[in-house]
Amino acid sequence: GGTARPLLKDYAGTVRAYQWEEDSKHLVVEVNARTHDQFLRVDSQDGSVSALPVETALSAQDFSSSRTGRVLAYARGMGDSPSDVWAYMAGGKPGRLTNLNPQAKDWRLGAVQEISWKSQKDGATIYGVLVTPPDFKPSQAYPTIVEIHGGPEWAWWSGWLGSWHDWAQLLASNGYVVFLPNPRGSTGQGWKFAEANRDDWGGGDFRDVMDGVDSLIDQKIADPNRLGIGGWSYGGFM
């Protein structure tokens, strides 16, 4: 019967999931921030926010919170292994509870890192993920493939990239650099950024992607004569 009040309206990320605590005043909220997911505790009365020392990946948004909010269980995939179950207890440190894919430690996998670059159009900072081959050598230009995510209101993550549509590790293990950009229209940088390509598919968003490619060429990471592009859904359109 009360007045609706927006929470996290101006948060520089994207809310993905949430659960009430038993006091009906606080929420545990999972948010997508740039190329990572993290957890916040939000006071629904005054809107104050505190960050929990917990990080996961966009590909594994399942989590469960105890009624008191002191214990959190969640799925987390790492750059070098698929998702496992992790847990966090208030005042402690996150810990991994399972090892569901022990065979992953024997795979030749690429290194996964968040990267950023500037838009040549308006100077906006754009984020994405770079996966480099296992034998990657700096200042040696590699054949590079750009993988565009679907959505467009979605985002790539700094975590496990080896499933049915996120095949960066398959490509990296075969010697390719893989560039996964989150151009305007993506989640993870607030609602204004997510709506920044409205009525402009293939415009500013495509320029963001190409500015990222140019940045990799300038850093002598990507070979300008050996470039490829692929994607699914919105990524297929791009």
Side-chain angles (χ1 to χ4, degrees), residues 7 10 12 18 24 30 43 82 89 96 100 108 152 162 174 179 186 196-197 199 202 204 209 211 215 220 224 226:
L7 299 175
D10 296 318
Y18 48 87
S24 295
E30 183 179 5
D43 187 318
M89 180 174 290
R96 191 172 74 172
L100 300 177
R108 292 185 72 253
N174 282 279
F179 173 46
S186 302
N197 69 339
D199 299 325
V209 171
D211 286 342
S215 175
K220 294 182 169 52
R226 294 184 293 174

Side-chain angles (χ1 to χ4, degrees), residues 30 36-37 39 53-63 73-87 93-98 100-101 157-160:
E30 183 179 5
H36 299 271
D37 270 22
F39 290 93
V54 179
E55 183 180 288
T56 181
L58 190 68
S59 61
Q61 68 263 37
D62 298 311
F63 84 93
Y74 57 99
R76 181 183 183 187
M78 311 287 281
D80 58 359
S81 64
S83 293
D84 276 294
V85 179
W86 287 62
K93 294 182 179 180
R96 191 172 74 172
L97 303 183
T98 63
L100 300 177
N101 291 276
W157 55 87
S158 299
W160 178 246

Side-chain angles (χ1 to χ4, degrees), residues 61-175:
Q61 68 263 37
D62 298 311
F63 84 93
S64 179
S65 174
S66 66
R67 289 186 299 172
T68 62
R70 291 186 56 80
V71 182
L72 189 67
Y74 57 99
R76 181 183 183 187
M78 311 287 281
D80 58 359
S81 64
S83 293
D84 276 294
V85 179
W86 287 62
Y88 165 76
M89 180 174 290
K93 294 182 179 180
R96 191 172 74 172
L97 303 183
T98 63
N99 185 19
L100 300 177
N101 291 276
Q103 71 278 13
K105 67 179 179 14
D106 298 321
W107 295 344
R108 292 185 72 253
L109 298 171
V112 179
Q113 61 178 306
E114 178 182 282
I115 60 171
S116 65
W117 61 98
K118 293 290 186 180
S119 162
Q120 297 302 307
K121 175 186 177 182
D122 55 17
T125 300
I126 313 297
Y127 293 91
V129 178
L130 188 71
V131 184
T132 51
D135 57 354
F136 177 75
K137 297 179 178 60
S139 299
Q140 175 180 320
Y142 284 79
T144 300
I145 295 177
V146 183
E147 188 179 356
I148 312 294
H149 64 67
E153 195 170 322
W154 203 58
W156 289 119
W157 55 87
S158 299
W160 178 246
L161 292 160
S163 187
W164 66 275
H165 75 280
D166 40 322
W167 13 264
Q169 284 292 3
L170 173 64
L171 296 170
S173 66
N174 282 279

